[in-house]
Amino acid sequence: MSKHRLADAEMVEQAISGQESFSSGVVTGQREANRQAVEKLPAPQATRVIAVANQKGGVGKTTTVVNLAAAIALGGLRVLVIDADQQGNASSTLGFRNLSYDQASLYEVMTEGVPLREVMVENQRIPGLWVVPASMDMAGIELELNARTNFQQILSEAVNALLSSGEYFDYIFIDSPPSLGIMTVNSLVAAHEVLVPLQAEYLALEGLTQLTKTIDMLVIRLNPKLRFTAILPTMVTTNTLLGKGVLEEVRAYYGDIVMKTIIPRNVALAEAPSHEESILTYQPGSKGAKCYLDAAYELISREVKS
Ligand SMILES: Nc1ncnc2c1ncn2[C@@H]1O[C@H](COP(=O)(O)OP(=O)(O)OP(=O)(O)O)[C@@H](O)[C@H]1O
Ligand SMILES: [Mg+2]
């Protein structure tokens, strides 16, 4: 998919040059413009359920979920983010930091069988972007669910029930915690695809081996439809020899699974969560916004036709 993205040529120019000097009034105007500027995206043949996973902490899982989801929803598709991490970072970035006392979360879905459609809430800024928030209660979920039979399939059953209830989504992204525990396993069993954000740093490949072993085991035992869709290099600093070297090593080892798009280190990406926004609405002209939009296009073009 080649044609682009941010309609305003000047914004593209700024994105490429990395210039991010907006006064706040201008930013607001550009946010509005950007909402209309992402070109309409093609819907997939069927719902794509994508787990974003890497047991290593702080590699950009949540940033990737939030910004891919926002980009795709801005392109006119219906997107659901399931926050399967008790830290709740995806929930808070998408505006659900403090849940009202009567708002249920993924915890109630996992432990009491509350349907996802009763828990999901729509993002205020981006129509069509829905969130199933996490809650702190999920911290103890490992112990609570361990004794249950088929505890690895709880989320998968909830997602299937949602999709057969007449509620349609084009994309469902599941944000996983930094571990290979119960919630990550549930995410991988519920998903059709896995996308791994990989921070291009020394020893990055070591952690991937454990994750790919887990994926292989789950494919055999619990989820034969799971495909390893993509590795997305994150927080890349291509101006250092180390950064370049790691990227080359990852591409040599994993080949085409590694996305062509890379996400550079970009300060606006780190700032956006504190404003409870995706980068696409917070600073649409930033490098981070341009790269996540590119990543969304590339992900869409990687649809596996079954
Ligand atoms: N490309 C980037 N450039 C600069 N900062 C980034 C970038 N991507 C993510 N960050 C910041 O790095 C930190 C970790 O990112 P993020 O929370 O997405 O990682 P994570 O893998 O979800 O972490 P965890 O394992 O704790 O869930 C956050 O503060 C985030 O804002
Ligand atoms: Mg996270």
Side-chain angles (χ1 to χ4, degrees):
M1 194 164 302
S2 60
K3 87 181 146 88
H4 210 256
R5 304 147 180 24
L6 305 173
D8 185 326
E10 199 184 317
M11 271 157 58
V12 175
E13 192 66 58
Q14 281 169 331
I16 291 165
S17 65
Q19 222 180 302
E20 289 168 41
S21 54
F22 302 129
S23 75
S24 59
V26 180
V27 170
T28 312
Q30 276 168 339
R31 284 179 196 171
E32 286 305 322
N34 189 57
R35 246 169 254 179
Q36 280 115 49
V38 177
E39 76 181 44
K40 204 168 170 351
L41 297 171
Q45 286 182 333
T47 307
R48 288 177 71 185
V49 185
I50 304 176
V52 176
N54 188 332
Q55 79 278 16
K56 195 164 184 312
V59 296
K61 294 181 285 297
T62 303
T63 307
T64 297
V65 164
V66 165
N67 294 310
L68 288 180
I72 294 173
L74 283 165
L77 302 184
R78 266 174 71 82
V79 183
L80 177 65
V81 167
I82 299 177
D83 189 350
D85 182 3
Q86 69 198 43
Q87 299 179 93
N89 296 340
S91 314
S92 58
T93 305
L94 291 169
F96 304 100
R97 187 186 299 273
N98 299 308
L99 301 183
S100 60
Y101 80 97
D102 57 347
Q103 168 67 49
S105 71
L106 186 61
Y107 176 77
E108 283 79 13
V109 175
M110 298 296 296
T111 58
E112 295 169 20
V114 173
L116 286 169
R117 66 185 301 173
E118 287 180 22
V119 175
M120 62 193 201
V121 268
E122 193 169 17
N123 178 262
Q124 296 290 308
R125 291 191 171 87
I126 306 178
L129 175 56
W130 293 76
V131 186
V132 171
S135 86
M136 289 294 284
D137 296 332
M138 285 160 59
I141 213 160
E142 205 95 6
L143 286 173
E144 281 187 63
L145 295 184
N146 240 330
R148 294 250 294 264
T149 49
N150 300 338
F151 62 82
Q152 305 98 327
Q153 277 124 318
I154 298 173
L155 186 57
S156 163
E157 282 163 12
V159 168
N160 290 340
L162 175 72
L163 295 178
S164 52
S165 73
E167 195 73 57
Y168 188 76
F169 285 99
D170 296 293
Y171 282 81
I172 297 179
F173 289 98
I174 310 174
D175 188 20
S176 320
S179 77
L180 289 174
I182 272 184
M183 290 312 299
T184 300
V185 168
N186 263 274
S187 305
L188 292 169
V189 175
H192 311 149
E193 305 175 44
V194 55
L195 185 158
V196 177
L198 186 79
Q199 192 178 347
E201 60 176 12
Y202 183 56
L203 295 182
L205 281 174
E206 313 270 306
L208 257 191
T209 317
Q210 188 60 35
L211 181 61
T212 47
K213 267 192 204 154
T214 304
I215 293 171
D216 290 346
M217 185 197 75
L218 289 173
V219 167
I220 294 166
R221 296 209 196 142
L222 292 168
N223 187 8
K225 66 181 181 299
L226 186 65
R227 297 284 171 270
F228 197 160
T229 298
I231 292 174
L232 176 63
T234 54
M235 302 186 213
V236 177
T237 41
T238 40
N239 53 353
T240 66
L241 273 179
L242 178 63
K244 268 188 196 154
V246 171
L247 209 53
E248 279 164 17
E249 196 187 355
V250 172
R251 286 197 195 285
Y253 197 80
Y254 284 96
D256 286 346
I257 284 183
V258 186
M259 291 175 86
K260 292 192 179 64
T261 309
I262 57 173
I263 308 296
R265 268 199 184 278
N266 176 251
V267 71
L269 280 170
E271 287 169 3
S274 64
H275 297 265
E276 300 195 348
E277 289 206 50
S278 78
I279 191 69
L280 281 300
T281 50
Y282 173 65
Q283 274 200 18
S286 64
K287 253 189 196 166
K290 180 190 176 298
C291 291
Y292 268 110
L293 214 39
D294 282 345
Y297 277 91
E298 190 176 346
L299 182 69
I300 284 172
S301 71
R302 280 175 179 232
E303 183 181 358
V304 182
K305 306 277 188 297
S306 50

